[in-house]
Amino acid sequence: MLTRHIDRPRTEGTTIAEQILKNRSKFLHFLFCGIIISSFIGCDSPNAKKQPYETLVFNVDETQLEPPVVDTTLRIKIAAPKNWKKIDDSMLTQVINKLGTQLTLEEGQVVPRWIFLNENSRSMCVVSELKGLEIAPDETLIKTLTTTYQNQFPKATVRQAIFMKDAFRIHQLMVVAADFVRIKLICDAPETLVFAVDYHIPKDVYQTKLRAIESSIGSINLIQK
């Protein structure tokens, strides 16, 4: 959460706006870094045997959402939960630059496209392109992801699932820790590039945000050419 320390003297030559920008950048870096370092490693064999998946339907309550953002590169649109505001391009660039090589994976690269932030609840959603990654239709990737999260958060509960939503096949990891809930969705479809959507929510507000998060996931759709 953004905090202004009005009882402390400002450093000479530093404006209040600059201090706010610095604090906000650190906050974004902290959350985003946690999402990226827990990202997957490796990929599945493209010759893996195809498995059937359950199709899930999400109930979308548009009153719980921000206006949708259209990504012509990924060929998708997505709406963030209400009051989760898209950070501007300059702030996104600052966060990416601070993370540096952490955005590089063994099999590809994480390229953040959008970051949506609710500073009051300290919640965040990150939409990223996963360059150079192919996801075969088996469970190897989801098992690798589960092990990665369990090693990183040994006291957390990690749940996994693979399902279909419209044209998308989605690998989902849900991490429930003592102080946060993290939902990672890795999505692919014949018409799109592989991309990830990460939701990071403090545990104490998760239940109040659940309906909005479900609506946000349900808002992920292809855009027509």
Side-chain angles (χ1 to χ4, degrees):
M1 182 181 297
L2 181 61
T3 304
R4 302 188 187 189
H5 299 285
I6 59 176
D7 55 337
R8 296 182 182 179
R10 288 190 322 217
T11 303
E12 184 177 356
T14 302
T15 67
I16 292 177
E18 288 170 338
Q19 287 186 346
I20 292 173
L21 183 63
K22 182 178 180 180
N23 290 342
R24 190 177 184 212
S25 180
K26 286 181 178 178
F27 168 57
L28 282 167
H29 175 265
F30 172 75
L31 288 182
F32 192 25
C33 185
I35 289 174
I36 294 300
I37 62 176
S38 62
S39 205
F40 49 88
I41 53 176
C43 64
D44 299 333
S45 165
N47 298 317
K49 183 179 179 182
K50 186 174 182 179
Q51 300 292 334
Y53 304 118
E54 180 183 7
T55 297
L56 298 185
V57 177
F58 292 82
N59 294 320
V60 177
D61 181 353
E62 294 187 358
T63 67
Q64 299 276 346
L65 298 174
E66 290 291 306
V69 169
V70 175
D71 191 314
T72 55
T73 297
L74 298 180
R75 295 199 58 232
I76 65 167
K77 61 180 179 179
I78 180 173
K82 193 72 173 178
N83 298 320
W84 294 30
K85 302 299 183 182
K86 182 174 73 71
I87 68 170
D88 58 39
D89 292 341
S90 62
M91 181 64 70
L92 177 62
T93 300
Q94 287 184 41
V95 174
I96 293 172
N97 289 341
K98 284 188 176 183
L99 286 171
T101 57
Q102 294 182 42
L103 296 177
T104 301
L105 304 175
E106 288 185 11
E107 301 294 338
Q109 186 177 24
V110 179
V111 182
R113 301 286 301 170
W114 312 94
I115 296 180
F116 305 94
L117 176 68
N118 185 308
E119 294 184 19
N120 291 328
S121 67
R122 299 176 65 86
S123 301
M124 185 168 65
C125 173
V126 181
V127 180
S128 306
E129 178 186 351
L130 306 181
K131 284 190 172 181
L133 184 76
E134 293 183 0
I135 304 177
D138 68 4
E139 298 183 1
T140 305
L141 174 62
I142 200 73
K143 290 177 180 177
T144 302
L145 277 166
T146 300
T147 300
T148 300
Y149 273 106
Q150 288 173 336
N151 290 339
Q152 186 180 0
F153 307 108
K155 295 183 178 180
T157 300
V158 182
R159 295 195 287 268
Q160 59 179 323
I162 306 176
F163 58 88
M164 298 296 298
K165 180 211 173 288
D166 302 322
F168 299 104
R169 177 183 48 175
I170 299 180
H171 293 66
Q172 174 183 286
L173 261 292
M174 183 172 182
V175 182
V176 181
D179 55 351
F180 71 87
V181 176
R182 183 170 297 161
I183 301 172
K184 175 183 285 291
L185 307 174
I186 301 175
C187 314
D188 74 331
E191 298 88 349
T192 69
L193 303 173
V194 180
F195 64 97
V197 182
D198 290 273
Y199 299 88
H200 183 102
I201 315 98
K203 183 74 171 292
D204 58 351
V205 300
Y206 174 69
Q207 288 299 325
T208 64
K209 305 299 180 183
L210 187 56
R211 186 72 185 90
I213 293 168
E214 179 184 1
S215 295
S216 178
I217 296 173
S219 77
I220 302 171
N221 284 296
L222 292 170
I223 58 174
Q224 301 301 317
K225 289 184 179 179

